Amino acid sequence: MRYFIYLSYDGSAYHGWQIQPNAMSVQEKLNDCLRKLLRDANCSVTGAGRTDAGVHAHMMVAHFDSSSEIDGSWLTDKLNRILPQDIAVSRVVKVRDDAHARFDAKARTYHYRIYTKKNPFERQYATRITYPLDFDLMNEAAKYLLQVNDFTSFSKLHTDTKTNICRVVCAHWSKIDDDLWQFEITADRFLRNMVRAVVGTLIEVGRGRMTLQDFKSVIKKKDRCAAGDSMPGNALSLVDIKYDNTIFEEIE
C-alpha cells in the first residue's frame, strides 16, 4: 500500500532534500524515522522534487510503501515526536498503489523573497538587495516566462535531466510588506537551480543592467552563461504542490 507524506522543513541545516553521500539531507532524516516506527529497514521515501542546499519547503510531498495498513493520524503524530524541530509532518494519506509523488504532480509553486534594509529578522529567509530595483520592469520581463517553454538558460549544467521543457503558468513580483518583496512562480516542473537563476536574471533587468529584449534573448540563446547569477538558496521556498484528486483513496 502506498502513502503520501505532507511535510514542511527549514532547510538551513540540510544539504538539500535528496540523500547525499557525505552530508545530511531531509530525505535521510525522514527515512531514518520511518524505518524506526514501521520496523522496516527498507522503507524509503520518494519526494516530489529535490530542493537544493539551504532551500526551505512550506510543503513537500513524498511517497512510501507499506505492507500493512497504516493509521495516518498515528504516523503523523509519531513522526513529529521523533523528527528534529526543523522538520514537521502535517498529514499522511493513503493513495493509489501506482501514485507517484514526483511524476503525478501537476504543478509546483515557489516563492523567493528579497528585502533592502538591514534586518536581522529577515536575513535567514530572504536575500538583501542593496541597490534600487524597478519591480514594474521586472514584472514585464516575468510575463515573458509564460510565453516560452525551453528553460535551458536557467538550468544547472550537466544534470541528468532529459528535457529542459517546462510550462510556467504564473510568474510575478508582489510587495508583501514595507520592505519585503516576493517572487511567485508556478510551473508543471522545474529544472535544477531554475528559480534562483530566473530571479538573478530578473534582478539584472530591475537594476537596469539588462533590457527586456536582452532578457528575451537570454532565453532564446539556451545558454546558462548568458543568464544572471544564481541567487542564494536561503530565500527560496517550495510552497505548494498540486495533484489530481483521483490518486487519493479519500478525496483531498
Side-chain angles (χ1 to χ4, degrees), residues 205-237:
V205 174
R207 67 187 301 190
R209 296 173 61 171
M210 187 180 289
T211 66
L212 289 176
Q213 189 56 49
D214 291 337
F215 182 78
K216 295 178 181 180
S217 296
V218 164
I219 298 174
K220 292 176 181 177
K221 287 179 180 178
K222 302 178 184 178
D223 180 2
R224 178 66 186 91
C225 295
D229 292 338
S230 178
M231 299 296 287
N234 67 292
L236 180 63
S237 295

Side-chain angles (χ1 to χ4, degrees), residues 57-177:
H58 290 267
M59 179 197 287
M60 169 62 86
V61 181
H63 75 250
F64 73 96
D65 294 326
S66 173
S67 59
S68 59
E69 192 89 21
I70 292 174
D71 182 329
S73 296
W74 170 85
L75 186 57
T76 298
D77 177 63
K78 293 298 184 183
L79 282 171
N80 282 326
R81 288 174 184 266
I82 63 174
L83 280 166
Q85 293 299 312
D86 50 12
I87 303 175
V89 173
S90 58
R91 65 188 189 275
V92 177
V93 295
K94 191 176 182 182
V95 294
R96 290 199 326 251
D97 291 345
D98 62 346
H100 198 288
R102 178 183 174 190
F103 299 134
D104 283 331
K106 299 301 181 184
R108 300 165 175 85
T109 299
Y110 282 89
H111 286 169
Y112 196 94
R113 292 186 168 188
I114 63 173
Y115 66 107
T116 61
K117 300 173 184 176
K118 188 175 182 180
N119 187 332
F121 303 106
E122 295 292 354
R123 63 187 175 84
Q124 191 168 353
Y125 304 107
T127 293
R128 186 184 178 199
I129 301 296
T130 57
Y131 37 78
L133 292 174
D134 185 336
F135 285 96
D136 289 335
L137 194 60
M138 290 160 67
N139 271 329
E140 282 297 311
K143 289 178 183 177
Y144 187 63
L145 298 173
L146 280 64
Q147 303 173 34
V148 297
N149 59 20
D150 192 320
F151 288 85
T152 301
S153 292
F154 303 119
S155 173
K156 189 173 183 179
L157 299 175
H158 311 302
T159 69
D160 56 2
T161 303
K162 294 181 180 179
T163 175
N164 291 334
I165 301 300
C166 307
R167 185 173 65 91
V168 175
V169 297
C170 169
H172 66 88
W173 290 91
S174 57
K175 192 173 186 179
I176 59 175
D177 206 343

